[in-house]
Amino acid sequence: MEQEKKTPSFGYALFVTLIAFAVIMIPAVFLGAKTQPLFLISWIVSIPFCMRLGYTYKELQQGMLAYCAKSLVPMTIVLCVGALIGTWNACGTVPMITKLGLMTINPKYFLVISFFICIVFSLFTGTSFGTCGTAGVALMGVGLSMGLNPLVIAAPIIGGAYFGDAISPLSDSTNCAAGSVGVDLFTSIGYQVYTTAPAALISAVIYLIWGMNIDTSGVDLSSIDGVISGIESSYRLGIVTLLPMLVVLVMLLRRIPSIPSILCGSISGLLVAWLYQGQSLKSVILSMWSGYTLESDNSFIATIFSRGGITSMQGTAFLFIFAFGLFGILSTAGIIDKVVEPLMKRVTGRLSGTICTVILGFIANETSASGNFSFVFTGNLMTPIYEKNGLNKWDLTRAMSVGCLLSGLLIPWNSNPLTVTGFLGVDAAEMLPYMFTPIVTCAVLLFYTSTNIDKKFSRLARETEHPQKTG
């Protein structure tokens, strides 16, 4: 007979949640252990606690598998980008961009220039993953050639990529936010610009000052000339090598989904490597799988451009499955719903609604390791609360951008930082001290909301009743 299901108390739900994530975080933080197997251990720890509420293992497994299925799309994107990086290093796309950057960039302004390049690229492509995996990889090569700290190089790349993603109509994030709340996409983006633009400008000033205060006296420009010579001797360069990037850019601008766009970019890179660079078809196909290996007398050049491949992203792909599976177990037993229940009761006005939305988005990011799921989860929970209290749903989507997208960069096991840091070859946990852009954006958002200053120049901000749904 089917067992009677018990609704967990808040204390019990919080206890189970803390235990589940302590199993992951304590070994990861203090022992440097890999998070992938720790998530599997957390499954075993969580299941008995959930079964005590009357759920059978079969029911928990069904919930686990249902959530694992949601990881297939981001996991596939990651693997496709791995293939793209491999072929773009083989065909000369990344080396060509690296050469152009080295020829023109000033070390003092490298950080702020990288920041704006990634904003523009992400804005017009709608993918922070794609930006970091393409333009970001190239900029990383430029920065490493200058002898800069890889963590310092990665900070403006990641920050710019996510600022652009947050206001791009082609982004899954903005579409998830508008769709889950039920508001117009482009109007929602326009409203969000009021907070995103000032936050981006503040961040740009920080990167400018930061870059100007970096000691570049040790940068040997003659060594950069040596790197350029090494690139030229290792590849046949020219405008043809930029065609794969153009293919991806055009396809994404035409709103073709990310997976086929990235795959076409990878295939075009394969063709350029085979037909233009003169590499064997077998070796280029292998670069899609295990990454490209550059044979060069210059060890620095060989290290920068020997990377990519589907297998290079397998750790992140497995983490997606394991993280989604844990959230499925806890969600099926009602643990997650009960943990966030007290938060729901505190929404009484504009400021409290914004704060609760950001916190809930952060919690969803922390427990599910998925930005897109966080948007759907937070939007579905907060929309009826906003409607019940007659609050402005444009404020909701704007707060979701901070809580569900940018805040994920502060969670080392979240898919967003894990993916982009994997592309750039840096550690997600080590990046935390450099990830100030989410904090800057949150501060701007709270300033606008608490002072109501945006009501002076925004009609949407002055709306007291929630806007009509537009699908």
Side-chain angles (χ1 to χ4, degrees):
M1 294 181 63
E2 185 178 351
Q3 290 182 293
E4 181 182 356
K5 306 295 189 298
K6 299 178 183 177
T7 301
S9 65
F10 173 77
Y12 186 81
L14 182 62
F15 171 76
V16 174
T17 302
L18 292 176
I19 289 295
F21 286 96
V23 170
I24 301 167
M25 286 304 300
I26 292 176
V29 173
F30 294 101
L31 301 178
K34 289 286 186 181
T35 54
Q36 288 89 339
L38 294 175
F39 267 98
L40 286 178
I41 296 172
S42 188
W43 284 12
I44 300 301
V45 172
S46 303
I47 286 172
F49 287 109
C50 295
M51 291 180 70
R52 288 190 62 187
L53 298 171
Y55 293 87
T56 64
Y57 171 75
K58 185 176 181 180
E59 290 171 326
L60 295 175
Q61 179 178 270
Q62 289 174 343
M64 176 185 70
L65 294 178
Y67 274 82
C68 284
K70 298 178 181 181
S71 70
L72 292 178
V73 172
M75 183 177 68
T76 303
I77 291 175
V78 165
L79 296 177
C80 289
V81 170
L84 180 142
I85 293 174
T87 59
W88 280 21
N89 277 288
C91 75
T93 299
V94 174
M96 181 63 178
I97 297 173
T98 303
K99 175 192 171 183
L100 294 175
L102 287 173
M103 291 173 61
T104 59
I105 205 162
N106 186 318
K108 288 290 185 182
Y109 306 110
F110 175 74
L111 297 185
V112 68
I113 291 174
S114 298
F115 179 64
F116 281 117
I117 288 174
C118 290
I119 286 179
V120 172
F121 198 93
S122 206
L123 174 64
F124 286 101
T125 62
T127 166
S128 51
F129 286 3
T131 297
C132 291
T134 53
V137 170
L139 289 168
M140 178 62 73
V142 174
L144 291 174
S145 300
M146 294 180 177
L148 299 179
N149 183 335
L151 298 174
V152 173
I153 304 168
I157 293 172
I158 297 173
Y162 276 86
F163 268 125
D165 190 307
I167 55 174
S168 172
L170 306 179
S171 168
D172 289 343
S173 302
T174 53
N175 280 277
C176 279
S180 60
V181 175
V183 296
D184 179 72
L185 170 64
F186 288 95
T187 308
S188 176
I189 291 173
Y191 185 62
Q192 188 177 311
V193 169
Y194 290 127
T195 53
T196 304
L201 289 175
I202 293 171
S203 299
V205 171
I206 294 174
Y207 286 127
L208 177 62
I209 297 173
W210 189 1
M212 294 181 69
N213 283 277
I214 291 178
D215 182 14
T216 57
S217 59
V219 176
D220 185 0
L221 296 181
S222 62
S223 66
I224 293 179
D225 293 335
V227 172
I228 294 175
S229 299
I231 293 174
E232 292 174 340
S233 64
S234 300
Y235 291 91
R236 181 184 178 188
L237 301 178
I239 194 171
V240 175
T241 61
L242 299 178
L243 290 178
M245 178 174 285
L246 181 62
V247 168
V248 176
L249 184 62
V250 170
M251 292 185 70
L252 289 173
L253 286 174
R254 293 178 63 85
R255 302 196 180 193
I256 296 174
S258 296
I259 292 176
S261 298
I262 294 171
L263 280 177
C264 286
S266 181
I267 293 171
S268 61
L270 181 151
L271 294 174
V272 172
W274 176 35
L275 301 175
Y276 184 74
Q277 297 292 351
Q279 300 177 25
S280 69
L281 181 59
K282 178 181 177 181
S283 67
V284 181
I285 293 175
L286 183 62
S287 72
M288 292 183 67
W289 175 250
S290 57
Y292 177 65
T293 301
L294 174 63
E295 296 181 2
S296 173
D297 294 334
N298 189 319
S299 60
F300 183 77
I301 293 293
T303 301
I304 291 179
F305 302 124
S306 296
R307 53 179 316 204
I310 294 172
T311 57
S312 69
M313 297 298 171
Q314 62 184 358
T316 303
F318 281 125
L319 184 61
F320 282 175
I321 298 175
F322 301 153
F324 273 76
L326 176 61
F327 189 76
I329 294 170
L330 298 177
S331 183
T332 299
I335 297 295
I336 298 300
D337 289 343
K338 182 58 67 170
V339 167
V340 302
E341 187 178 83
L343 193 64
M344 301 297 97
K345 298 178 180 179
R346 298 185 178 276
V347 178
T348 57
R350 191 185 190 207
L351 180 60
S352 60
T354 295
I355 293 174
C356 287
T357 300
V358 172
I359 293 175
L360 183 60
F362 183 84
I363 292 173
N365 259 319
E366 187 176 32
T367 55
S368 71
S370 167
N372 282 348
F373 178 79
S374 178
F375 273 110
V376 176
F377 178 78
T378 305
N380 287 332
L381 285 180
M382 294 301 298
T383 296
I385 296 174
Y386 265 64
E387 291 177 343
K388 180 181 178 181
N389 291 280
L391 298 176
N392 190 336
K393 289 203 291 185
W394 307 113
D395 287 336
L396 172 57
T397 56
R398 187 167 69 179
M400 287 169 61
S401 176
V402 176
C404 303
L405 178 65
L406 296 176
S407 77
L409 296 175
L410 303 176
I411 304 170
W413 62 87
N414 186 272
S415 60
N416 285 335
L418 276 172
T419 302
V420 295
T421 55
F423 294 156
L424 301 176
V426 294
D427 183 80
E430 292 180 353
M431 279 301 304
L432 281 178
Y434 302 88
M435 287 287 94
F436 61 84
T437 49
I439 298 173
V440 170
T441 311
C442 186
V444 173
L445 173 66
L446 293 178
F447 172 76
Y448 272 43
T449 307
S450 60
T451 61
N452 291 320
I453 193 171
D454 53 339
K455 289 188 176 183
K456 296 180 179 180
F457 51 82
S458 171
R459 178 187 59 81
L460 291 178
R462 291 192 293 270
E463 291 185 0
T464 55
E465 296 296 327
H466 58 81
Q468 184 180 0
K469 289 188 177 182
T470 58

